[in-house]
Amino acid sequence: ESKLTLRPPSLAAPYAPVQNWQHQPEKLIFESCGYEANYLGSMLIKDLRGTESTQDACAKMRKSTEHMKKVPTIILSITYKGVKFIDASNKNVIAEHEIRNISCAAQDPEDLCTFAYITKDLQTSHHYCHVFSTVDVNLTYEIILTLGQAFEVAYQLALQAQRAKSLGAGAGETIETKSSKPVPKPRAGMRKSAVLDQDSQSHASVSWVVDPKQDSKRTLSTKYETTIF
């Protein structure tokens, strides 16, 4: 009922490289953010290693599709609930991934127009990396940032629901909203990274690390690493 207030990136995540989100939170709650991209394909991740896995998948999928005459064009539809990819020609939903099952999203450092995210199949517990490309690095950057905002919206909605539940349950009930597990430290050498720590109570806690020598998003690789509990 009350208006949802998001932390700006600079407060939601220390050292965030941007000051404002791309969208109003209502856009991600009641509507969706759609982005056109080429779908290069997906591959099974046997050894999950965060952004290393996305980078490996990006390199392999770029190589396997470089001689293809036609790569499928899709619409990535992002909301606080997750991501759908929709066939651009007939508008059919090809796949849908819940936000809680997305464990990593990152740009390819070798080609910043290419990006990927990893999902977990709850039935098999297997991880898959889905690889995409766009025509413009700034569009890829915005998609990654919108994914980050989707996590923030989901997090704030979860807090709002917990507050309502706490008020309804009475003063005797205590609700834990922060993860007791430490956020993993990002590896050295990342030019820009974000770590998202998720658990069943708290949808996302974000931490950014930015190299101050980098002053243009065109030269930055955006990464999110997430841990699903």
Side-chain angles (χ1 to χ4, degrees):
E1 293 79 3
S2 60
K3 182 177 174 62
L4 193 71
T5 301
L6 302 186
R7 298 168 296 176
S10 56
L11 290 180
Y15 313 111
V18 292
Q19 297 301 313
N20 299 295
W21 296 113
Q22 294 284 335
H23 310 283
Q24 293 297 318
E26 291 77 15
K27 177 76 172 175
L28 288 157
I29 298 171
F30 301 111
E31 301 176 44
S32 65
C33 298
Y35 297 98
E36 189 170 289
N38 293 320
Y39 182 47
L40 304 187
S42 65
M43 61 180 289
L44 175 68
I45 303 297
K46 296 180 180 179
D47 180 22
L48 188 62
R49 303 187 314 278
T51 54
E52 285 185 32
S53 297
T54 62
Q55 290 167 12
D56 289 346
C58 284
K60 290 176 181 177
M61 296 309 297
R62 275 194 291 109
K63 186 174 182 180
S64 66
T65 58
E66 63 183 355
H67 298 301
M68 287 179 60
K69 292 183 178 180
K70 187 174 178 61
V71 177
T73 300
I74 63 161
I75 305 296
L76 278 175
S77 177
I78 302 172
T79 72
Y80 81 98
K81 292 182 178 180
V83 179
K84 294 178 182 178
F85 34 112
I86 302 165
D87 190 311
S89 59
N90 58 27
K91 308 305 179 187
N92 291 333
V93 176
I94 300 170
E96 185 172 358
H97 301 127
E98 291 184 47
I99 201 84
R100 66 190 178 96
N101 295 330
I102 298 175
S103 59
C104 184
Q107 282 172 277
D108 180 357
E110 301 300 320
D111 176 10
L112 294 179
C113 286
T114 301
F115 68 101
Y117 66 76
I118 294 175
T119 60
K120 182 179 182 180
D121 186 313
L122 295 182
Q123 293 183 333
T124 64
S125 293
H126 292 158
H127 290 87
Y128 295 89
C129 189
H130 306 272
V131 184
F132 313 86
S133 67
T134 72
V135 296
D136 179 56
V137 63
N138 290 324
L139 177 59
T140 300
Y141 181 90
E142 182 175 333
I143 292 171
I144 296 291
L145 186 61
T146 300
L147 280 171
Q149 187 177 5
F151 279 111
E152 172 67 11
V153 170
Y155 172 63
Q156 294 298 336
L157 285 173
L159 289 182
Q160 194 176 77
Q162 287 170 3
R163 284 193 293 267
K165 183 179 177 182
S166 180
L167 289 173
E173 183 177 344
T174 301
I175 298 212
E176 182 66 36
T177 60
K178 291 186 178 179
S179 171
S180 60
K181 298 187 179 182
V183 176
K185 294 182 180 179
R187 294 180 298 278
M190 284 189 182
R191 288 173 291 172
K192 182 170 75 176
S193 65
V195 177
L196 283 84
D197 180 14
Q198 297 190 147
D199 60 20
S200 59
Q201 300 287 347
S202 171
H203 279 262
S205 174
V206 191
S207 178
W208 294 71
V209 178
V210 180
D211 184 344
K213 292 181 290 186
Q214 301 285 350
D215 58 0
S216 170
K217 69 182 181 181
R218 289 182 179 275
T219 63
L220 293 178
S221 173
T222 307
K223 303 179 181 73
Y224 289 93
E225 287 193 47
T226 69
T227 303
I228 306 298
F229 299 102

